[in-house]
Amino acid sequence: MPFILFILLLIVFFVLKSIPTDDEDDASDLFKDDAVSASGSRRTSFFKSVAQLLCIVMAADKKTTKTELNVVKKYLSRNFDEEDAHTILQIMSQCLKKPMPQDLRPFCLQLNQNMSYKQRLAFLTTLFEIAVVDSRIEKEEAKVIEMYARFACIRQVDFDRQRGYFAYGFTWENTGKQKTNSSDTSSGGKNSTTKDWAYDVLGVSNNASEKEIKNAFRKLSMQYHPDKQIDATDEELRISTEKFQRISEAYEVLME
């Protein structure tokens, strides 16, 4: 009998111990609230960084245009859901009313933490598209883009390839200045004695074989040929067509 009573007491003890107290419930909810709050804060910081970097490039040449904003909207619609894209646009509207920060590192750090390398590279493409939508890249825009590429840990070969797409025939110094190669002709570099820009456009090294050059050209042509842009908007078609033309010119230069 005492043994049975002892067993019953043990059962009651463990049952009571398994029931959480009100204090434990409150503590658990508090930790959950803290986790949700921290997650929301990181998300907000990320959105602010995306918005700020887009604004810095838009405002680099001391003017912002509707065409630049259209590029931004298309990027956001492709990479964020509707609510998040709207949030970023709202943040941008406030950022554009304030002086632009000079240090890009804190914003790039946020992107490094929240974006894959491929996503950061796509963001670089958007920055280039913002800069060239008015037909030329100003030196202030070039400087900002170079800073982003450096702080976002973009590989040099990938940066050179993007630069080749959007501004072939130019070399950029670390200061962000844009200058025409001294050996360029009025054709925009096609008959230049230096072929560096052409290698950059095709994304191959300067000692690439003929086969490597042909393979790179074939791959890029399939990606940017106007006939492949079935669902593209007029502006996206224009950008793809320009890229395809540059790819074709680069291939001609290297095959001469």
Side-chain angles (χ1 to χ4, degrees):
M1 187 69 179
F3 178 74
I4 295 175
L5 182 60
F6 176 73
I7 295 298
L8 290 173
L9 288 173
L10 281 177
I11 293 172
V12 171
F13 173 77
F14 284 113
V15 169
L16 291 174
K17 189 173 180 63
S18 67
I19 300 175
T21 64
D22 291 341
D23 290 342
E24 288 174 337
D25 286 341
D26 291 344
S28 177
D29 290 341
L30 181 60
F31 284 125
K32 289 179 182 177
D33 290 343
D34 286 346
V36 171
S37 177
S39 176
S41 178
R42 287 193 296 270
R43 191 174 182 81
T44 300
S45 297
F46 171 55
F47 288 169
K48 286 182 178 178
S49 295
V50 171
Q52 190 68 76
L53 287 167
L54 292 170
C55 287
I56 290 172
V57 175
M58 287 179 65
D61 57 359
K62 309 303 180 185
K63 61 180 183 295
T64 56
T65 65
K66 186 176 180 180
T67 51
E68 290 176 333
L69 184 58
N70 287 338
V71 173
V72 169
K73 288 180 177 179
K74 288 173 183 176
Y75 166 76
L76 295 177
S77 67
R78 289 194 301 264
N79 294 277
F80 296 87
D81 62 38
E82 185 176 352
E83 182 179 353
D84 291 345
H86 180 67
T87 298
I88 293 172
L89 286 172
Q90 285 184 317
I91 297 172
M92 288 182 65
S93 67
Q94 297 301 316
C95 290
L96 289 171
K97 298 175 183 178
K98 303 174 183 177
M100 293 296 126
Q102 300 300 311
D103 188 1
L104 272 61
R105 284 172 293 186
F107 311 120
C108 293
L109 179 61
Q110 282 289 334
L111 267 62
N112 294 348
Q113 293 174 344
N114 292 278
M115 284 182 170
S116 66
Y117 181 79
K118 185 177 180 180
Q119 290 171 326
R120 299 199 304 275
L121 194 59
F123 192 79
L124 174 66
T125 301
T126 298
L127 299 186
F128 270 117
E129 289 175 348
I130 292 171
V132 302
V133 75
D134 54 0
S135 300
R136 61 172 297 176
I137 299 178
E138 302 292 344
K139 64 180 182 180
E140 294 84 2
E141 295 170 324
K143 182 177 180 180
V144 171
I145 293 173
E146 285 182 327
M147 289 173 63
Y148 164 77
R150 183 164 66 251
F151 296 142
C153 303
I154 301 298
R155 291 191 290 267
Q156 187 65 43
V157 64
D158 291 329
F159 177 77
D160 288 342
R161 183 180 301 173
Q162 294 278 18
R163 179 180 62 181
Y165 288 153
F166 292 102
Y168 78 90
F170 290 92
T171 56
W172 292 357
E173 300 172 345
N174 291 333
T175 56
K177 292 179 180 178
Q178 199 180 39
K179 63 179 183 180
T180 306
N181 291 330
S182 58
S183 55
D184 283 351
T185 67
S186 59
S187 64
K190 182 176 178 179
N191 299 319
S192 171
T193 57
T194 177
K195 298 181 179 180
D196 288 347
W197 70 270
Y199 288 111
D200 287 346
V201 168
L202 295 182
V204 295
S205 64
N206 289 17
N207 58 358
S209 66
E210 181 175 326
K211 182 179 179 180
E212 289 173 326
I213 293 172
K214 288 182 177 179
N215 287 340
F217 171 69
R218 187 179 300 110
K219 181 179 179 181
L220 292 171
S221 296
M222 291 292 293
Q223 182 177 356
Y224 293 108
H225 195 287
D227 291 345
K228 301 293 183 181
Q229 315 305 315
I230 300 174
D231 298 321
T233 63
D234 290 344
E235 187 170 348
E236 290 170 340
L237 180 61
R238 178 184 65 80
I239 292 174
S240 292
T241 301
E242 289 178 357
K243 287 182 179 181
F244 179 74
Q245 290 172 345
R246 291 168 185 171
I247 291 165
S248 299
E249 290 175 2
Y251 179 72
E252 290 177 14
V253 167
L254 296 182
M255 287 294 99
E256 286 178 352

